[in-house]
Amino acid sequence: MSLTRDSAESSRRGGRSARPRGGVDVATLVGLAAAAVVIFVAMASGGSLRAFVDPPSLIIVLGGTLAVTTASFSLSDVAIAWRDAGAVLIHRTSDPRGVARQVLLLAEAARRAPETLRNVLPELKHESFLHRSVTLVAEGLPPDDIERMLIGEVEASGAGKVKSAGVLRRASEVAPAMGLIGTLVGLVQMLGSLNDPSSIGPAMALALLTTFYGAVLGNVALAPLAAKVERTAEEDALVKTLYTIGAVSIARQENPRRLEMLLNAVLPPGKRIQYFDRDSDRGSPRGA
């Protein structure tokens, strides 16, 4: 059996391939770019763009946000959060329906010929979690051990993503606060030098631009990235849960029809499949 060939055949009949699709996250990049363009046009229409450039304000907002966020977590947590934030811009996604179909294909193949699992392992290297799951089944580990190991990995991966989202969320809260602190610093400097007209301008720029920088950094950049990391974590957890259910079911030698019901119990309503129902799903490769 070739899982790749059968998956492609199922896709042509109405299903979608479970192979992860890599590429740029268009929605995130378009959204961030559109927000940047709107802000840029507003800045340019009111006069010189140089008026919005103030290094001390940038230092207060960027440096202060990084410092306070790091103080709230740790250097490693912050580094991992930035790595995860970059990863959501270029990521790999798997369609849950395609994943469910792939799991059922594996279950049917394993039910007919258990040695098939070892034969298809090279085809599964594109999805590391699925490869590990099938390897555990092929090695003959007890189903309960497989379930415990895979669920532990899903929970650990999800907890890491949740922490990264928390770091970014905290940074999105700190950035406007640092902008307010910079505003207060600028106002104090301005009030302390009213007798020197030449110093009022720079102090006022510091007072206003730090609030501007903080608001943009927190609400336009960090908050959307935090939400995107959270959504990516949910999608990744769903896919890995489907693989876990499939691996445990195959290890227990359960009927693939029962596996279909277990998978549909996890899938969102709009993503559920009727793999064995020809009338309800023309993409079904086989009947009962």
Side-chain angles (χ1 to χ4, degrees), residues 200-219:
I200 295 178
M204 181 62 73
L206 177 65
L208 297 179
L209 288 179
T210 49
T211 298
F212 172 73
Y213 291 154
V216 171
L217 179 63
N219 297 289

Side-chain angles (χ1 to χ4, degrees), residues 11-168:
S11 177
R12 288 194 297 272
R13 282 187 296 238
R16 295 178 61 182
S17 173
R19 182 179 294 274
R21 304 183 301 277
V24 176
D25 188 333
V26 178
T28 302
L29 292 180
V30 169
L32 293 177
V37 169
V38 169
I39 295 172
F40 180 84
V41 170
M43 292 164 55
S45 63
S48 174
L49 292 176
R50 294 186 60 183
F52 291 89
V53 178
D54 187 64
S57 298
L58 283 173
I59 293 173
I60 291 175
V61 174
L62 295 178
T65 299
L66 179 61
V68 174
T69 303
T70 303
S72 302
F73 295 91
S74 68
L75 287 174
S76 60
D77 290 340
V78 174
I80 293 173
W82 286 116
R83 184 197 66 189
D84 290 341
V88 300
L89 301 178
I90 302 176
H91 68 297
R92 302 165 65 199
T93 59
S94 297
D95 175 56
R97 288 174 62 92
V99 168
R101 290 179 182 279
Q102 184 182 31
V103 169
L104 288 169
L105 280 170
L106 280 170
E108 281 196 306
R111 188 174 177 85
R112 293 195 303 267
E115 68 276 5
T116 301
L117 293 180
R118 291 187 180 274
N119 298 333
V120 301
L121 280 175
E123 302 178 23
L124 305 179
K125 290 184 177 179
H126 65 273
E127 177 51 64
S128 59
F129 187 85
L130 175 60
H131 187 272
R132 287 193 297 276
S133 303
V134 175
T135 299
L136 294 175
V137 178
E139 293 295 331
L141 270 70
D144 291 342
D145 291 347
I146 295 175
E147 185 175 22
R148 183 171 59 255
M149 294 170 62
L150 295 180
I151 289 178
E153 184 173 346
V154 173
E155 292 177 349
S157 176
K161 291 293 194 300
V162 169
K163 179 176 286 187
S164 294
V167 171
L168 294 171

Side-chain angles (χ1 to χ4, degrees), residues 177-201:
M178 293 307 303
L180 179 59
I181 291 174
T183 297
L184 295 175
V185 171
L187 290 176
V188 170
Q189 292 178 347
M190 183 184 68
L191 294 175
S193 57
L194 290 178
N195 56 346
D196 183 8
S198 63
S199 63
I200 295 178

Side-chain angles (χ1 to χ4, degrees), residues 163-267:
K163 179 176 286 187
S164 294
V167 171
L168 294 171
R169 190 76 66 188
R170 174 60 176 163
S172 70
E173 297 170 354
V174 170
M178 293 307 303
L180 179 59
I181 291 174
T183 297
L184 295 175
V185 171
L187 290 176
V188 170
Q189 292 178 347
M190 183 184 68
L191 294 175
S193 57
L194 290 178
N195 56 346
D196 183 8
S198 63
S199 63
I200 295 178
M204 181 62 73
L206 177 65
L208 297 179
L209 288 179
T210 49
T211 298
F212 172 73
Y213 291 154
V216 171
L217 179 63
N219 297 289
V220 178
L222 295 175
L225 288 176
K228 202 69 173 184
V229 170
E230 290 175 345
R231 180 177 177 181
T232 302
E234 293 173 356
E235 294 173 349
D236 183 65
L238 174 60
V239 169
K240 289 182 177 179
T241 298
L242 294 174
Y243 285 143
T244 298
I245 293 173
V248 174
S249 178
I250 294 171
R252 290 174 175 162
Q253 299 181 343
E254 295 178 340
N255 191 310
R257 287 183 174 273
R258 183 176 188 278
L259 173 57
E260 180 184 12
M261 291 188 292
L262 294 175
L263 295 174
N264 280 332
V266 175
L267 287 167

